[in-house]
Amino acid sequence: MTRFRASAPLTTDWDHFDFRVDGAIATITLNRPEKLNPLTFESYADLRDLLAELPHHEGVKVLVIRGEGRGFCGGGDVQEIIGELLKMDADGLMRFTKMTGEVIRAMRECPIPIIAGIQGIAAGAGSVIALAADFRVVATSGRFAFLFTKVGLSGGDMGAAYLLPRVVGLGHATKLLMLGDTIDAATADRYGLVSELVADDELDSAVGALAARLASGPTLAFAQTKSLLTRELDMPLSAAVELDAMTQALLMTSDDHAEFHAAFTAKRPPEWKGR
């Protein structure tokens, strides 16, 4: 039992998506396939809260986000969200937009690697959730649409204008966020948005293989690498090099680093402990 858990218990049941833990791999499945798994006020809040809890789940080393059925996520539910937003005052609107942004911030600051497995459409908020993942395994049926301007809103929603240029470059990001056009998996791969492109019938196995690889690897090193990738995006080189040096010196004291040396000397695979 960790010393760093508070009195409140971890949530065991989530009402607005499926959540399961199989060994070291946790999976969120958006489960409204009849509407392409749209997000609601409640599912945004559940995602925010689960991501805050996830690092306290003992033994969980990887998070997979999937969508049930023929699509990943069609974005915010037009009827359940947009219709209600039109009735809200400025305070309510600000609370909503900050909540959606908290989901993306939590994804990037969560020390656990996150894989998005994408088939069919990832649109609007769904495309930003995919963008915020560490890895995007995309089926050939996959499509992305950052379509915020097509509903009269800024393309820079939920941190998209921050993250997307850093993944695909300013030119591609400008096209995607300003025009809001849908791109297919091959185009997304060419832009650099795809970590691995696979056939539709290979998506489950590809996601599973990557999750297993991450779960069996040096999780402390993975967590620190993710942290550096996020935090150094806006640092000057001198600050980034200093932070790298401090992090590396810390990891040089870890059991996993010593295990690498022992395994190398014994000519055997390392047995990573994440410590």
Side-chain angles (χ1 to χ4, degrees):
M1 185 68 179
T2 176
R3 292 172 179 263
F4 306 113
R5 280 281 302 120
S7 300
L10 296 174
T11 308
T12 56
D13 296 309
W14 297 91
D15 293 336
H16 303 290
F17 46 70
D18 291 331
F19 178 70
R20 73 174 193 272
V21 177
D22 298 312
I25 301 170
T27 303
I28 292 170
T29 304
L30 305 176
N31 59 356
R32 298 176 67 199
E34 71 284 357
K35 298 181 72 175
L36 293 175
N37 305 312
L39 296 166
T40 64
F41 294 108
E42 295 81 10
S43 57
Y44 275 120
D46 270 1
L47 285 169
R48 175 201 61 197
D49 294 346
L50 173 55
L51 287 160
E53 285 191 8
L54 195 63
H56 300 289
H57 280 261
E58 290 293 312
V60 170
K61 298 181 178 179
V62 183
L63 173 64
V64 173
I65 303 178
R66 295 293 307 271
E68 184 179 337
R70 59 192 177 90
F72 175 69
C73 175
D77 190 296
V78 173
Q79 297 304 322
E80 293 189 35
I81 289 185
I82 295 181
E84 290 301 312
L85 293 178
L86 293 173
K87 305 173 187 176
M88 287 186 184
D89 60 14
D91 177 64
L93 293 170
M94 184 64 74
R95 291 175 64 189
F96 170 71
T97 54
K98 285 186 175 182
M99 177 177 70
T100 63
E102 280 294 299
V103 174
I104 302 307
R105 183 197 60 76
M107 288 181 69
R108 293 310 311 151
E109 294 189 355
C110 179
I112 296 169
I114 299 174
I115 303 168
I118 299 160
Q119 80 285 357
I121 191 66
S127 64
V128 187
I129 288 173
L131 173 65
D134 299 294
F135 300 91
R136 285 162 294 282
V137 181
V138 182
T140 51
S141 66
R143 293 169 291 139
F144 294 85
F146 297 85
L147 44 66
F148 305 105
T149 59
K150 292 201 170 184
V151 299
L153 298 176
S154 164
D157 196 29
M158 299 169 63
Y162 178 88
L163 289 173
L164 192 59
R166 290 164 169 80
V167 174
V168 304
L170 181 60
H172 291 320
T174 300
K175 287 176 60 178
L176 292 174
L177 295 184
M178 290 192 70
L179 300 179
D181 292 340
T182 301
I183 59 170
D184 59 20
T187 303
D189 189 30
R190 179 165 55 85
Y191 283 6
L193 191 54
V194 175
S195 304
E196 183 178 358
L197 183 61
V198 299
D200 276 63
D201 60 2
E202 297 174 356
L203 181 61
D204 290 345
S205 60
V207 169
L210 179 56
R213 178 179 177 181
L214 291 166
S216 63
T219 55
L220 185 60
F222 290 159
Q224 293 304 311
T225 301
K226 177 173 179 175
S227 178
L228 294 177
L229 285 167
T230 297
R231 299 184 188 286
E232 292 183 12
L233 287 172
D234 296 316
M235 281 187 181
L237 177 60
S238 59
V241 169
E242 180 72 11
L243 184 56
D244 284 354
M246 295 169 63
T247 302
Q248 210 69 305
L250 175 65
L251 290 178
M252 286 173 180
T253 70
S254 69
D255 291 349
D256 276 352
H257 185 58
E259 166 62 12
F260 160 75
H261 185 262
F264 182 83
T265 302
K267 296 182 171 58
R268 61 171 175 80
E271 298 178 7
W272 306 114
K273 303 297 184 184
R275 297 192 297 270

mmCIF file of all heavy atoms in Angstrom, residues 128-156:
data_model
loop_
_atom_site.group_PDB
_atom_site.id
_atom_site.type_symbol
_atom_site.label_atom_id
_atom_site.label_comp_id
_atom_site.label_asym_id
_atom_site.label_seq_id
_atom_site.Cartn_x
_atom_site.Cartn_y
_atom_site.Cartn_z
ATOM 1 N N VAL A 128 -8.608 15.908 -30.775
ATOM 2 C CA VAL A 128 -7.664 16.495 -29.823
ATOM 3 C C VAL A 128 -7.263 15.465 -28.769
ATOM 4 O O VAL A 128 -6.103 15.407 -28.350
ATOM 5 C CB VAL A 128 -8.231 17.761 -29.173
ATOM 6 C CG1 VAL A 128 -7.162 18.432 -28.313
ATOM 7 C CG2 VAL A 128 -8.732 18.743 -30.222
ATOM 8 N N ILE A 129 -8.196 14.628 -28.338
ATOM 9 C CA ILE A 129 -7.850 13.551 -27.415
ATOM 10 C C ILE A 129 -6.840 12.611 -28.059
ATOM 11 O O ILE A 129 -5.855 12.206 -27.431
ATOM 12 C CB ILE A 129 -9.116 12.806 -26.959
ATOM 13 C CG1 ILE A 129 -9.902 13.698 -25.998
ATOM 14 C CG2 ILE A 129 -8.779 11.475 -26.305
ATOM 15 C CD1 ILE A 129 -11.265 13.146 -25.614
ATOM 16 N N ALA A 130 -7.048 12.267 -29.318
ATOM 17 C CA ALA A 130 -6.063 11.443 -30.024
ATOM 18 C C ALA A 130 -4.717 12.159 -30.096
ATOM 19 O O ALA A 130 -3.659 11.550 -29.887
ATOM 20 C CB ALA A 130 -6.580 11.117 -31.426
ATOM 21 N N LEU A 131 -4.727 13.449 -30.392
ATOM 22 C CA LEU A 131 -3.511 14.246 -30.488
ATOM 23 C C LEU A 131 -2.749 14.254 -29.174
ATOM 24 O O LEU A 131 -1.509 14.211 -29.164
ATOM 25 C CB LEU A 131 -3.883 15.671 -30.895
ATOM 26 C CG LEU A 131 -2.781 16.731 -30.896
ATOM 27 C CD1 LEU A 131 -1.726 16.413 -31.941
ATOM 28 C CD2 LEU A 131 -3.393 18.112 -31.143
ATOM 29 N N ALA A 132 -3.463 14.303 -28.051
ATOM 30 C CA ALA A 132 -2.822 14.404 -26.742
ATOM 31 C C ALA A 132 -2.238 13.088 -26.266
ATOM 32 O O ALA A 132 -1.466 13.062 -25.304
ATOM 33 C CB ALA A 132 -3.810 14.932 -25.711
ATOM 34 N N ALA A 133 -2.594 11.979 -26.910
ATOM 35 C CA ALA A 133 -2.016 10.689 -26.542
ATOM 36 C C ALA A 133 -0.533 10.668 -26.911
ATOM 37 O O ALA A 133 -0.069 11.427 -27.765
ATOM 38 C CB ALA A 133 -2.770 9.556 -27.239
ATOM 39 N N ASP A 134 0.201 9.761 -26.282
ATOM 40 C CA ASP A 134 1.624 9.629 -26.595
ATOM 41 C C ASP A 134 1.843 8.856 -27.891
ATOM 42 O O ASP A 134 2.822 9.093 -28.602
ATOM 43 C CB ASP A 134 2.336 8.912 -25.442
ATOM 44 C CG ASP A 134 2.214 9.684 -24.149
ATOM 45 O OD1 ASP A 134 2.766 10.786 -24.068
ATOM 46 O OD2 ASP A 134 1.539 9.193 -23.224
ATOM 47 N N PHE A 135 0.944 7.929 -28.171
ATOM 48 C CA PHE A 135 1.031 7.120 -29.384
ATOM 49 C C PHE A 135 -0.349 7.047 -30.024
ATOM 50 O O PHE A 135 -1.355 6.874 -29.328
ATOM 51 C CB PHE A 135 1.505 5.694 -29.067
ATOM 52 C CG PHE A 135 2.864 5.623 -28.430
ATOM 53 C CD1 PHE A 135 2.993 5.639 -27.052
ATOM 54 C CD2 PHE A 135 4.014 5.539 -29.209
ATOM 55 C CE1 PHE A 135 4.238 5.576 -26.450
ATOM 56 C CE2 PHE A 135 5.264 5.474 -28.619
ATOM 57 C CZ PHE A 135 5.382 5.496 -27.238
ATOM 58 N N ARG A 136 -0.381 7.153 -31.350
ATOM 59 C CA ARG A 136 -1.620 6.996 -32.095
ATOM 60 C C ARG A 136 -1.445 5.842 -33.074
ATOM 61 O O ARG A 136 -0.736 5.973 -34.089
ATOM 62 C CB ARG A 136 -1.965 8.290 -32.854
ATOM 63 C CG ARG A 136 -2.487 9.397 -31.962
ATOM 64 C CD ARG A 136 -2.423 10.763 -32.615
ATOM 65 N NE ARG A 136 -1.030 11.177 -32.838
ATOM 66 C CZ ARG A 136 -0.238 11.662 -31.877
ATOM 67 N NH1 ARG A 136 -0.685 11.805 -30.642
ATOM 68 N NH2 ARG A 136 1.015 12.001 -32.148
ATOM 69 N N VAL A 137 -2.070 4.712 -32.744
ATOM 70 C CA VAL A 137 -2.088 3.561 -33.645
ATOM 71 C C VAL A 137 -3.366 3.681 -34.458
ATOM 72 O O VAL A 137 -4.471 3.673 -33.899
ATOM 73 C CB VAL A 137 -2.045 2.235 -32.863
ATOM 74 C CG1 VAL A 137 -2.035 1.057 -33.829
ATOM 75 C CG2 VAL A 137 -0.809 2.192 -31.962
ATOM 76 N N VAL A 138 -3.218 3.824 -35.756
ATOM 77 C CA VAL A 138 -4.346 4.219 -36.599
ATOM 78 C C VAL A 138 -4.601 3.155 -37.661
ATOM 79 O O VAL A 138 -3.679 2.723 -38.371
ATOM 80 C CB VAL A 138 -4.065 5.579 -37.273
ATOM 81 C CG1 VAL A 138 -5.253 6.017 -38.122
ATOM 82 C CG2 VAL A 138 -3.750 6.646 -36.218
ATOM 83 N N ALA A 139 -5.856 2.740 -37.769
ATOM 84 C CA ALA A 139 -6.263 1.830 -38.834
ATOM 85 C C ALA A 139 -6.403 2.597 -40.144
ATOM 86 O O ALA A 139 -6.553 3.821 -40.151
ATOM 87 C CB ALA A 139 -7.589 1.161 -38.470
ATOM 88 N N THR A 140 -6.365 1.857 -41.243
ATOM 89 C CA THR A 140 -6.472 2.513 -42.552
ATOM 90 C C THR A 140 -7.820 3.215 -42.733
ATOM 91 O O THR A 140 -7.939 4.123 -43.562
ATOM 92 C CB THR A 140 -6.250 1.507 -43.688
ATOM 93 O OG1 THR A 140 -7.108 0.371 -43.486
ATOM 94 C CG2 THR A 140 -4.805 1.039 -43.722
ATOM 95 N N SER A 141 -8.821 2.816 -41.968
ATOM 96 C CA SER A 141 -10.114 3.509 -42.022
ATOM 97 C C SER A 141 -10.109 4.796 -41.214
ATOM 98 O O SER A 141 -11.084 5.562 -41.253
ATOM 99 C CB SER A 141 -11.228 2.603 -41.476
ATOM 100 O OG SER A 141 -11.031 2.360 -40.080
ATOM 101 N N GLY A 142 -9.041 5.067 -40.475
ATOM 102 C CA GLY A 142 -8.992 6.220 -39.588
ATOM 103 C C GLY A 142 -9.045 7.543 -40.347
ATOM 104 O O GLY A 142 -8.505 7.677 -41.448
ATOM 105 N N ARG A 143 -9.718 8.510 -39.748
ATOM 106 C CA ARG A 143 -9.803 9.860 -40.312
ATOM 107 C C ARG A 143 -9.758 10.862 -39.167
ATOM 108 O O ARG A 143 -10.241 10.585 -38.076
ATOM 109 C CB ARG A 143 -11.101 10.047 -41.109
ATOM 110 C CG ARG A 143 -11.190 9.210 -42.386
ATOM 111 C CD ARG A 143 -12.586 9.234 -42.966
ATOM 112 N NE ARG A 143 -13.516 8.514 -42.111
ATOM 113 C CZ ARG A 143 -14.751 8.918 -41.824
ATOM 114 N NH1 ARG A 143 -15.210 10.078 -42.307
ATOM 115 N NH2 ARG A 143 -15.542 8.193 -41.054
ATOM 116 N N PHE A 144 -9.183 12.023 -39.448
ATOM 117 C CA PHE A 144 -9.082 13.088 -38.455
ATOM 118 C C PHE A 144 -9.751 14.344 -38.992
ATOM 119 O O PHE A 144 -9.598 14.683 -40.172
ATOM 120 C CB PHE A 144 -7.616 13.403 -38.140
ATOM 121 C CG PHE A 144 -6.880 12.284 -37.450
ATOM 122 C CD1 PHE A 144 -6.297 11.266 -38.181
ATOM 123 C CD2 PHE A 144 -6.772 12.264 -36.063
ATOM 124 C CE1 PHE A 144 -5.621 10.232 -37.551
ATOM 125 C CE2 PHE A 144 -6.082 11.240 -35.423
ATOM 126 C CZ PHE A 144 -5.513 10.221 -36.169
ATOM 127 N N ALA A 145 -10.468 15.038 -38.105
ATOM 128 C CA ALA A 145 -11.105 16.295 -38.502
ATOM 129 C C ALA A 145 -11.110 17.239 -37.296
ATOM 130 O O ALA A 145 -11.851 17.018 -36.341
ATOM 131 C CB ALA A 145 -12.530 16.051 -38.986
ATOM 132 N N PHE A 146 -10.268 18.263 -37.361
ATOM 133 C CA PHE A 146 -10.267 19.306 -36.336
ATOM 134 C C PHE A 146 -11.258 20.377 -36.797
ATOM 135 O O PHE A 146 -10.879 21.418 -37.306
ATOM 136 C CB PHE A 146 -8.857 19.883 -36.178
ATOM 137 C CG PHE A 146 -7.842 18.873 -35.694
ATOM 138 C CD1 PHE A 146 -7.197 18.027 -36.587
ATOM 139 C CD2 PHE A 146 -7.533 18.775 -34.342
ATOM 140 C CE1 PHE A 146 -6.257 17.098 -36.143
ATOM 141 C CE2 PHE A 146 -6.603 17.856 -33.882
ATOM 142 C CZ PHE A 146 -5.962 17.019 -34.779
ATOM 143 N N LEU A 147 -12.536 20.083 -36.602
ATOM 144 C CA LEU A 147 -13.576 20.821 -37.332
ATOM 145 C C LEU A 147 -14.195 21.981 -36.558
ATOM 146 O O LEU A 147 -15.304 22.416 -36.861
ATOM 147 C CB LEU A 147 -14.676 19.853 -37.786
ATOM 148 C CG LEU A 147 -15.199 18.791 -36.799
ATOM 149 C CD1 LEU A 147 -15.923 19.384 -35.622
ATOM 150 C CD2 LEU A 147 -16.052 17.781 -37.529
ATOM 151 N N PHE A 148 -13.468 22.555 -35.613
ATOM 152 C CA PHE A 148 -14.036 23.599 -34.756
ATOM 153 C C PHE A 148 -14.473 24.835 -35.544
ATOM 154 O O PHE A 148 -15.507 25.430 -35.248
ATOM 155 C CB PHE A 148 -13.038 23.983 -33.665
ATOM 156 C CG PHE A 148 -12.583 22.796 -32.854
ATOM 157 C CD1 PHE A 148 -11.319 22.250 -33.034
ATOM 158 C CD2 PHE A 148 -13.434 22.213 -31.935
ATOM 159 C CE1 PHE A 148 -10.914 21.156 -32.300
ATOM 160 C CE2 PHE A 148 -13.035 21.116 -31.197
ATOM 161 C CZ PHE A 148 -11.769 20.571 -31.377
ATOM 162 N N THR A 149 -13.687 25.247 -36.546
ATOM 163 C CA THR A 149 -14.093 26.435 -37.306
ATOM 164 C C THR A 149 -15.360 26.179 -38.112
ATOM 165 O O THR A 149 -16.086 27.114 -38.433
ATOM 166 C CB THR A 149 -12.975 26.906 -38.265
ATOM 167 O OG1 THR A 149 -12.660 25.851 -39.184
ATOM 168 C CG2 THR A 149 -11.738 27.316 -37.488
ATOM 169 N N LYS A 150 -15.656 24.913 -38.396
ATOM 170 C CA LYS A 150 -16.853 24.604 -39.167
ATOM 171 C C LYS A 150 -18.123 24.751 -38.346
ATOM 172 O O LYS A 150 -19.229 24.704 -38.898
ATOM 173 C CB LYS A 150 -16.747 23.198 -39.766
ATOM 174 C CG LYS A 150 -15.668 23.112 -40.840
ATOM 175 C CD LYS A 150 -15.865 21.947 -41.766
ATOM 176 C CE LYS A 150 -14.913 22.053 -42.965
ATOM 177 N NZ LYS A 150 -15.131 20.972 -43.944
ATOM 178 N N VAL A 151 -17.971 24.922 -37.032
ATOM 179 C CA VAL A 151 -19.142 25.237 -36.206
ATOM 180 C C VAL A 151 -19.031 26.663 -35.673
ATOM 181 O O VAL A 151 -19.706 27.046 -34.724
ATOM 182 C CB VAL A 151 -19.314 24.219 -35.054
ATOM 183 C CG1 VAL A 151 -19.519 22.831 -35.605
ATOM 184 C CG2 VAL A 151 -18.138 24.254 -34.082
ATOM 185 N N GLY A 152 -18.160 27.464 -36.295
ATOM 186 C CA GLY A 152 -18.050 28.870 -35.945
ATOM 187 C C GLY A 152 -17.217 29.161 -34.718
ATOM 188 O O GLY A 152 -17.320 30.244 -34.138
ATOM 189 N N LEU A 153 -16.342 28.215 -34.328
ATOM 190 C CA LEU A 153 -15.502 28.400 -33.150
ATOM 191 C C LEU A 153 -14.023 28.388 -33.537
ATOM 192 O O LEU A 153 -13.664 28.037 -34.668
ATOM 193 C CB LEU A 153 -15.778 27.293 -32.120
ATOM 194 C CG LEU A 153 -17.202 27.254 -31.556
ATOM 195 C CD1 LEU A 153 -17.378 26.051 -30.633
ATOM 196 C CD2 LEU A 153 -17.531 28.547 -30.814
ATOM 197 N N SER A 154 -13.184 28.762 -32.620
ATOM 198 C CA SER A 154 -11.744 28.774 -32.874
ATOM 199 C C SER A 154 -11.213 27.363 -33.071
ATOM 200 O O SER A 154 -11.581 26.427 -32.351
ATOM 201 C CB SER A 154 -11.013 29.426 -31.687
ATOM 202 O OG SER A 154 -9.634 29.137 -31.733
ATOM 203 N N GLY A 155 -10.306 27.231 -34.021
ATOM 204 C CA GLY A 155 -9.638 25.943 -34.217
ATOM 205 C C GLY A 155 -8.711 25.579 -33.078
ATOM 206 O O GLY A 155 -8.318 24.418 -32.938
ATOM 207 N N GLY A 156 -8.365 26.567 -32.259
ATOM 208 C CA GLY A 156 -7.451 26.316 -31.146
ATOM 209 C C GLY A 156 -8.187 25.876 -29.907
ATOM 210 O O GLY A 156 -8.066 26.513 -28.856
#
